[in-house]
Amino acid sequence: MTVEILPKRQLGDTGLLVSSLGLGTVKFGRNSGVKYPSSFKLPNDDAVRNIIAMCKERGVNLIDTAPAYGHSEERLGQLLTDRKDWLICTKVGEEFDSSGSYFDFSAKHTKHSIERSLKRLRSDYLDIVLVHSDGNDMDIIEKTDCFETLQRLKEEGLIRAFGMSTKTAEGGLATLKHSDMAMVMYNSSYADEESVIDYARSHRKGIFVKKALNSGHAVSGSQNEEDPVKTNLEFIYSHAGVSSVIIGSINTVHMSHNIDAAISAQTTSY
Ligand code: NAP
């Protein structure tokens, strides 16, 4: 039987070719302070290895992590043995510990965070770094030196591309004016940031979509006959300008279904 492989797409003008579906890894490293529909145990090493191997076999080359995802970066550093075959996206700005999340977008903390991610991921470069917004997108861009610091680190060759995971359309548009890409929430029940995707398309910038399944609530609360994974992926891919959709999962059957649905949903219109 032939295995169907996900198509790849250009990440704006960065030169990076990303799989049109990426693997989100919050659930690899953190199970407290999360908003998923049900509680869960962190997967063991074999379960993480299995989902990574299945994703790779189906053409996924993009994996999304963050310092705020608990042990996610460290686990990827240990378990992702074929580093060069992957594009790793990590973040700066948000920290998470037993007292919850806190944010630091200063140049000093940004540099410290990048050095720590390199160590944890056992790599001498990071493919993509996104600023993990606290919701005040414009303040981060206008009142901190986080973007300038990432630009310098890019010129030094430590990172290949950067942008911000934003929470507002205004912040998404400003992000694209000052960086390579934005990560935006977009699904069939939330399209408030669609103008960011349109701007990215016309200016050759990259877009990652987060929360395509509304953090699992689209699936668990679905009353419809129609498969919510299919509905949401058809909705997202029918809009030109999306580079990749990052779906989080620790379930190989779920992720395999998401890959099938992503392949079926894609047209030539991006
Ligand atoms: P999501 O991808 O919309 O949903 C993930 C949830 O859906 C998980 O609980 C997963 O459970 C479930 N799921 C996935 N496929 C399924 C299927 N086929 N059938 C049933 N359930 C399914 O939401 P997300 O994890 O919040 O966001 C995705 C990724 O985006 C994250 O992992 C992270 O990498 C990134 N993200 C970034 C930010 C940011 O601010 N930068 C914020 C949120 C998310 P199972 O594990 O059981 O499959």
Side-chain angles (χ1 to χ4, degrees):
M1 210 176 70
T2 49
V3 179
E4 276 194 290
I5 302 288
L6 272 167
K8 294 198 170 56
R9 296 180 171 198
Q10 294 288 347
L11 182 66
D13 63 0
T14 63
L16 301 177
L17 206 53
V18 293
S19 50
S20 44
L21 194 78
L23 176 63
T25 65
V26 176
K27 292 175 83 173
F28 284 18
R30 171 173 154 191
N31 58 5
S32 65
V34 286
K35 294 179 182 155
Y36 294 110
S38 41
S39 59
F40 60 95
K41 276 195 186 148
L42 296 181
N44 65 24
D45 287 356
D46 280 343
V48 172
R49 279 193 198 96
N50 285 344
I51 196 161
I52 288 173
M54 185 282 293
C55 282
K56 186 175 178 188
E57 194 195 349
R58 301 294 306 276
V60 176
N61 72 346
L62 175 63
I63 200 151
D64 182 66
T65 182
Y69 299 167
H71 297 291
S72 173
E73 283 186 319
E74 271 165 332
R75 298 196 78 187
L76 291 177
Q78 281 161 15
L79 300 172
L80 209 63
T81 45
D82 39 9
R83 167 70 183 96
K84 295 269 184 249
D85 295 342
W86 291 91
L87 297 175
I88 301 180
C89 174
T90 191
K91 316 226 172 54
V92 293
E94 180 174 356
E95 299 289 323
F96 179 83
D97 64 19
S98 54
S99 54
S101 279
Y102 56 98
F103 295 86
D104 187 340
F105 303 107
S106 65
K108 187 172 171 216
H109 181 75
T110 302
K111 275 189 265 175
H112 159 74
S113 182
I114 296 282
E115 282 160 15
R116 188 185 54 188
S117 292
L118 289 167
K119 266 195 209 118
R120 287 179 175 172
L121 288 161
R122 302 185 187 183
S123 184
D124 53 7
Y125 67 97
L126 300 170
D127 299 287
I128 303 153
V129 175
L130 301 180
V131 182
H132 219 153
S133 174
D134 59 357
N136 300 305
D137 298 343
M138 294 307 295
D139 281 354
I140 296 168
I141 295 168
E142 291 171 352
K143 298 183 183 163
T144 79
D145 42 14
C146 197
F147 273 41
E148 288 90 328
T149 308
L150 292 174
Q151 178 63 39
R152 267 200 304 280
L153 292 168
K154 183 177 165 185
E155 284 158 15
E156 286 168 20
L158 283 184
I159 68 181
R160 297 170 79 186
F162 75 95
M164 178 151 70
S165 176
T166 50
K167 302 213 175 173
T168 61
E170 187 191 14
L173 293 169
T175 291
L176 295 182
K177 288 179 188 148
H178 295 98
S179 71
D180 302 303
M181 63 164 299
M183 179 185 239
V184 299
M185 180 169 169
Y186 189 55
N187 60 50
S188 62
S189 51
Y190 179 87
D192 294 8
E193 295 161 47
E194 198 172 76
S195 57
V196 184
I197 302 175
D198 295 335
Y199 183 93
R201 185 187 179 214
S202 55
H203 292 78
R204 294 190 65 221
K205 299 288 179 171
I207 290 287
F208 289 168
V209 166
K210 62 185 169 188
K211 303 189 184 181
L213 305 178
N214 199 14
S215 296
H217 296 278
V219 191
S220 69
S222 172
Q223 308 289 326
N224 297 334
E225 298 272 304
E226 183 85 23
D227 173 10
V229 174
K230 179 175 183 288
T231 307
N232 279 288
L233 289 179
E234 284 178 354
F235 174 83
I236 294 165
Y237 289 121
S238 69
H239 199 85
V242 172
S243 316
S244 186
V245 181
I246 309 290
I247 296 191
S249 185
I250 50 173
N251 181 313
T252 304
V253 175
H254 287 171
M255 201 58 194
S256 175
H257 174 68
N258 300 340
I259 293 169
D260 288 338
I263 292 170
S264 307
Q266 288 181 69
T267 65
T268 53
S269 63
Y270 89 94

